[in-house]
Amino acid sequence: MDFFSLAFRNLQRHRIRSLLTVMAIAVGIFMLYSFWTFNKGYQAGLRRELGNMGAHMLAIAKGCPYEATAMILHGGTITDYLTQDDLVRIRQMPGVARAVGMFMNQKPLGHGKVTVIYGVDEEVFDIKPWWVVRGERRLTGDSVILPEDMAEALNVALGEVVTIPGIDREFRVVGLLERTGSQDDQFVYMPLVTAQQIFDAEGKLTSIAIQVEDLARLQDVVRQVESLPDVQAVTMTQVLGTVETLMTQAQAMVTTIVVVAVFISAIGVLNTVLMSVFERTKEIGMMKAIGGSAADVFAIVWIESIMLSLAGGALGVTGAIVGGRLLEGAARTRLPFVPAGSLIGLDWRIAAASVALSILLGIVAGAFPAYRASVLSPMEAIRSE
Amino acid sequence: MKPLILCEKMSKYYRRGSEVVRALHEVDLRVDEGEFLAVIGPSGSGKTTLLNLIGCLDTPSSGSYIFDGKQTAGLTERALGHIRRRGIGFVFQQFFLLPTLTVRENVELPLMFGRARDRSRVEEVLDMVGIGHRKRHLPRELSGGEMQRVAIARALVNNPRLLLADEPTGNLDSANADMVMALFRQLNERGITLIMVTHNMELARQATRTITIRDGKISEV
């Protein structure tokens, strides 16, 4: 028999009450861990996505920066275009290593779903050298390169003809893009000219991906690009900043909810342990009478509180790791942009920090009940009604 | 004989609102080692107050109380706790056994508080009070008499020189009360000093000496 087993047995007296308190802590820690890992995963995913763009900056027609960001990240409809002349001029600018014209637009499929068309030339492989394509890389006429998952979903193999959803035309699948784990797995790649024709935008470009020779001179190139009429340059850092700004408000609200949930669960622990102290006043008096010191009584009650919160913390983290996929799925349906790949997963550092926080909650929440118990006069405690 | 307990003009006053209650007033009491003292008196006479002072659960408002040669007046709660742990065993009317601990674990509690590594004394006292065969049982599985025997074993496990019993048979039927009294006499014969508060004259007669408390004053019977 030691203080830990005594504290554990005390908690077993009111199993349902102890369990409910553990559950309350678990919910708070579940939310904390999920939010924490999601946030971290989101930031990392966003950076990964932008890295996968392969360009240091994009030139687009002047307009809303949020629209531009949305288009860059997951495609979209854009009404203002660049021209082939803009592409030629940018290619001639000093400091520009490579400039690739792109045409991106989408066809609605109903129920909020769309087919995103990506009109590209072979040059796209210069800015995305990590792409692995089975079959042809060269796109001509009515040919497409499909991401493997999409081809599987459309039940089409390399070399076969497919009707692309949203476009009533048949295309031959000349290449299959191996999974990249990024947004690139969502697009249908076809010749630039074909894409322009489909959307009645011959000679128009939605964006020009630019790689610079020297990143230290990125701002020089930005200034040159923006000197072109009706053209704005968006660097990947700006895109990142824009998305993070959009996310900040949502994060602030979620953080508040998480903090409130954790605080409420701490109040729950305090309430449970304090109630238990009141119920055991006579027993505490007896423990002091038979030799228990104030420090001993304090330790026993404190351990009870820490055990409750530790169990809640462990349960919450386990629940978040196991059920994180569900939460991530829910977030994907509600947020305007979520990077591809797993966002909520096992992160030992966050798990350890969450459990440590739950222990801290137990320490803080248990301090007052433990103090109340420790200062009880043994005589008055025994005589209490 | 050497006095184990020596009270001189010991008083205890309580404040109840604006009123001061004299629970004990200038009490003189000497209890030698090996005595079995019964304290009787009507409700509210000060019996339990006297027991609490002797048991170092409380300190006198005035006067002096010397336990085993040590003046207790002015001692801290920590020092009083040390005296209780080392020298005094308590038996309460309500047993106060922890319901989720087995008999053995309940008896082990004082040793745990004393950070004792050797816990073999538990088996010894359980056998001494005749409850060794029930050591793995929970309190709810015991009769009232058995529970009181466990409480007595718990009081004895630290090898105290003084055993204090506050109405130890108050919750027991006559057969179990007789059994507890027989156990007390047996312990007293082994040299343990016993002070028992009771309002039952029949039980008090089994002690070697009886005192009466009335209105906070002691008189020998």
Side-chain angles (χ1 to χ4, degrees):
Chain A
M1 170 66 51
D2 55 28
F3 284 11
F4 289 93
S5 52
L6 178 58
F8 183 67
R9 302 286 188 84
N10 283 336
L11 293 175
Q12 285 183 314
R13 279 198 221 184
H14 299 284
R15 286 174 195 222
I16 292 176
R17 188 166 71 190
S18 298
L19 192 65
L20 288 174
T21 310
V22 166
M23 293 297 287
I25 286 278
V27 168
I29 297 298
F30 173 92
M31 289 174 70
L32 180 82
Y33 179 88
S34 303
F35 174 63
W36 210 339
T37 47
F38 182 83
N39 206 23
K40 194 177 167 190
Y42 191 97
Q43 303 260 355
L46 187 59
R47 281 177 170 80
R48 197 172 54 238
E49 288 288 331
L50 291 172
N52 285 342
M53 292 294 297
H56 298 128
M57 59 187 281
L58 287 186
I60 55 169
K62 267 186 184 156
C64 170
Y66 294 115
E67 248 181 32
T69 302
M71 194 208 70
I72 289 164
L73 288 169
H74 56 87
T77 307
I78 206 151
T79 49
D80 300 312
Y81 296 107
L82 303 176
T83 63
Q84 294 285 352
D85 287 348
D86 293 326
L87 177 61
V88 172
R89 282 183 199 144
I90 288 171
R91 278 178 174 162
Q92 289 168 348
M93 287 175 182
V96 172
R98 193 171 283 114
V100 178
M102 296 187 289
F103 185 91
M104 186 191 265
N105 214 323
Q106 60 189 35
K107 286 284 186 184
L109 300 175
H111 306 291
K113 292 187 175 175
V114 293
T115 295
V116 181
I117 306 295
Y118 214 134
V120 289
D121 282 334
E122 249 182 279
E123 291 163 322
V124 75
F125 293 101
D126 294 336
I127 58 167
K128 292 181 187 281
W130 57 89
W131 273 11
V132 179
V133 175
R134 284 197 290 123
E136 292 275 329
R137 283 182 157 215
R138 204 157 155 258
L139 286 161
T140 51
D142 285 356
S143 62
V144 288
I145 293 175
L146 292 182
E148 278 184 336
D149 288 351
M150 192 186 287
E152 201 177 308
L154 293 171
N155 199 21
V156 60
L158 188 64
E160 289 182 355
V161 172
V162 64
T163 303
I164 300 295
I167 307 167
D168 294 331
R169 262 168 79 169
E170 288 189 331
F171 292 84
R172 183 166 298 281
V173 180
V174 297
L176 291 176
L177 174 64
E178 282 188 13
R179 186 181 291 196
T180 63
S182 71
Q183 294 291 323
D184 290 349
D185 296 337
Q186 316 292 322
F187 308 138
V188 173
Y189 301 93
M190 62 176 63
L192 182 62
V193 175
T194 310
Q196 288 167 334
Q197 282 169 354
I198 288 171
F199 291 94
D200 295 326
E202 283 85 351
K204 307 268 177 68
L205 299 170
T206 50
S207 59
I208 297 168
I210 302 167
Q211 279 185 342
V212 295
E213 288 169 349
D214 180 4
L215 272 175
R217 297 186 59 204
L218 182 67
Q219 287 308 316
D220 289 344
V221 178
V222 168
R223 271 191 291 277
Q224 291 179 70
V225 169
E226 292 197 328
S227 69
L228 295 173
D230 298 323
V231 177
Q232 67 173 328
V234 183
T235 64
M236 292 310 132
T237 314
Q238 285 172 315
V239 174
L240 189 68
T242 305
V243 177
E244 284 181 345
T245 304
L246 285 169
M247 286 297 290
T248 301
Q249 282 186 327
Q251 281 174 356
M253 201 175 75
V254 176
T255 305
T256 308
I257 294 168
V258 169
V259 167
V260 168
V262 171
F263 180 73
I264 290 171
S265 59
I267 298 281
V269 173
L270 191 150
N271 179 53
T272 298
V273 181
L274 192 59
M275 202 187 297
S276 150
V277 166
F278 287 145
E279 286 167 356
R280 291 182 291 157
T281 299
K282 280 175 183 284
E283 274 179 25
I284 290 166
M286 175 278 292
M287 286 199 266
K288 286 188 144 186
I290 65 172
S293 66
D296 292 338
V297 172
F298 188 96
I300 292 165
V301 177
W302 221 15
I303 291 168
E304 287 173 27
S305 170
I306 294 166
M307 277 181 168
L308 282 173
S309 53
L310 177 61
L315 187 66
V317 168
T318 308
I321 292 167
V322 173
R325 292 269 175 201
L326 293 174
L327 202 71
E328 191 179 315
R332 282 186 187 281
T333 61
R334 283 164 178 79
L335 291 176
F337 169 72
V338 180
S342 176
L343 302 182
I344 302 180
L346 175 59
D347 186 317
W348 285 111
R349 289 174 71 176
I350 294 179
S354 301
V355 172
L357 182 76
S358 71
I359 293 171
L360 184 68
L361 280 182
I363 289 172
V364 173
F368 177 64
Y371 171 75
R372 281 291 297 261
S374 70
V375 296
L376 277 174
S377 148
M379 184 198 66
E380 285 171 13
I382 289 167
R383 284 184 1 178
S384 67
E385 291 304 324
Chain B
M1 270 288 210
K2 188 182 160 195
L4 183 65
I5 289 164
L6 194 59
C7 306
E8 289 176 338
K9 295 196 178 305
M10 184 173 75
S11 300
K12 185 68 190 178
Y13 305 127
Y14 297 109
R15 189 168 283 280
R16 194 186 293 150
S18 57
E19 183 191 2
V20 176
V21 179
R22 292 196 322 184
L24 282 178
H25 183 61
E26 296 192 344
V27 166
D28 291 320
L29 176 68
R30 174 189 168 129
V31 180
D32 290 335
E33 277 198 76
E35 275 197 84
F36 182 179
L37 178 72
V39 181
I40 57 170
S43 289
S45 58
K47 302 188 297 290
T48 301
T49 302
L50 177 68
L51 207 66
N52 288 334
L53 289 171
I54 290 172
C56 294
L57 290 176
D58 204 358
T59 50
S61 305
S62 64
S64 115
Y65 168 43
I66 297 166
F67 175 77
D68 197 20
K70 186 166 188 175
Q71 177 62 256
T72 62
L75 289 182
T76 60
E77 172 54 35
R78 192 190 185 91
L80 292 172
H82 185 75
I83 293 176
R84 288 197 297 271
R85 191 161 52 239
R86 295 282 175 171
I88 304 170
F90 289 87
V91 179
F92 306 99
Q93 181 179 350
Q94 291 169 295
F95 321 134
F96 292 137
L97 301 180
L98 300 190
T100 49
L101 301 189
T102 62
V103 163
R104 193 191 189 289
E105 289 165 338
N106 265 289
V107 174
E108 205 182 324
L109 276 178
L111 295 178
M112 182 189 80
F113 288 129
R115 311 296 193 269
R117 286 189 182 176
D118 181 10
R119 311 251 168 127
S120 57
R121 168 97 177 133
V122 174
E123 310 288 340
E124 199 181 312
V125 289
L126 282 172
D127 288 338
M128 192 191 293
V129 300
I131 200 83
H133 62 292
R134 304 279 264 165
K135 65 183 176 186
R136 292 189 214 287
H137 288 251
L138 291 170
R140 66 167 181 270
E141 297 163 343
L142 306 179
S143 70
E146 285 174 323
M147 281 198 267
Q148 193 58 298
R149 276 192 275 169
V150 176
I152 293 168
R154 183 180 62 195
L156 294 172
V157 77
N158 264 339
N159 229 347
R161 302 180 65 187
L162 173 66
L163 190 65
L164 298 175
D166 190 2
E167 303 276 8
T169 59
N171 280 345
L172 302 179
D173 58 27
S174 59
N176 276 311
D178 287 345
M179 184 274 300
V180 166
M181 289 309 296
L183 186 57
F184 280 171
R185 284 197 305 277
Q186 197 186 327
L187 293 170
N188 182 236
E189 280 162 16
R190 292 186 183 200
I192 293 175
T193 309
L194 264 145
I195 299 180
M196 176 182 71
V197 162
T198 181
H199 56 267
N200 185 326
M201 266 309 287
E202 281 289 311
L203 299 178
R205 279 194 200 100
Q206 298 183 45
T208 55
R209 182 180 152 207
T210 303
I211 59 170
T212 303
I213 299 189
R214 193 176 293 275
D215 298 331
K217 295 236 173 206
I218 287 179
S219 58
E220 295 278 343
V221 175

